[in-house]
Amino acid sequence: ASFISDALSLRTVLTIVAFVLTVVSSVVFSYPAHLVVLVIVFGAASFFDQYAKLVFAVFRAHQNVRIEVMLTIAEKAMLLTGLLLCTVYSKGIIAVGAIYATANGIKFAVALLMMRRNHRSVRFRYRPAAWVTLLKESSPFAAVFVFWSISYRIDQVMLEHLRGLGDVGLYGAAYRIIETLTFLPEAVGAALMPAVASTVMLVGDRALAGVRL
């Protein structure tokens, strides 16, 4: 519980810092006003989504993935309903961003409420010394994630310079469809991971004896 509390607290601080830097950089680089609004809206959506995933990690640690599955399905249903309404009523991109932020915000709020109700020992704590230790231990994984994120997003930056924002929008829309279709295998993997990890801890390599590709 102590380790999870420190991880939650550190993630909160880092996420807030990243969100503030994103908004500030969009202003410093003189983005148009509507782009600044988009950065704030989609940044809030990303904040809620990533933090909800961290809360879900607490449930996974206790082999309780039912809440994650239910909340993720509810989030997808809200997104689908909202996006259909935006299409029917011809709403703009800011409305779409607001839908993403609202759906992810509700998912995060309910997940946090359920965590506080079911795991009272997990709480936010101010322990900078523990944060430094966590940062040192996680730095290799952070470096991998940074380079992965760059390689995953650099194509959109290149496409903007080559063809313009219109093609970037179409490209991003196609990616959204692909990301949506990966929800089911990701959900199955999330449900299996805690049980697999516990089995390996209990019986070691014998747990892999029946694995077939």
Side-chain angles (χ1 to χ4, degrees), residues 154-168:
I154 193 64
D155 52 350
Q156 297 186 25
V157 177
M158 295 171 61
L159 185 60
E160 178 186 355
H161 286 282
L162 293 172
R163 301 298 299 269
L165 292 175
D167 286 337
V168 173

Side-chain angles (χ1 to χ4, degrees), residues 32-55:
H34 68 281
L35 283 183
V36 175
V37 174
L38 283 177
V39 167
I40 295 173
V41 172
F42 280 101
S46 178
F47 170 86
F48 292 136
D49 179 56
Q50 294 301 316
Y51 207 89
K53 290 179 180 178
L54 186 63
V55 175

Side-chain angles (χ1 to χ4, degrees), residues 1 9 18 47 57 80 89 96 101 122 128 166 172 192 211 213:
S9 303
F47 170 86
L80 179 60
Y89 292 101
V96 172
V122 178
L192 291 176
V211 176
L213 296 178

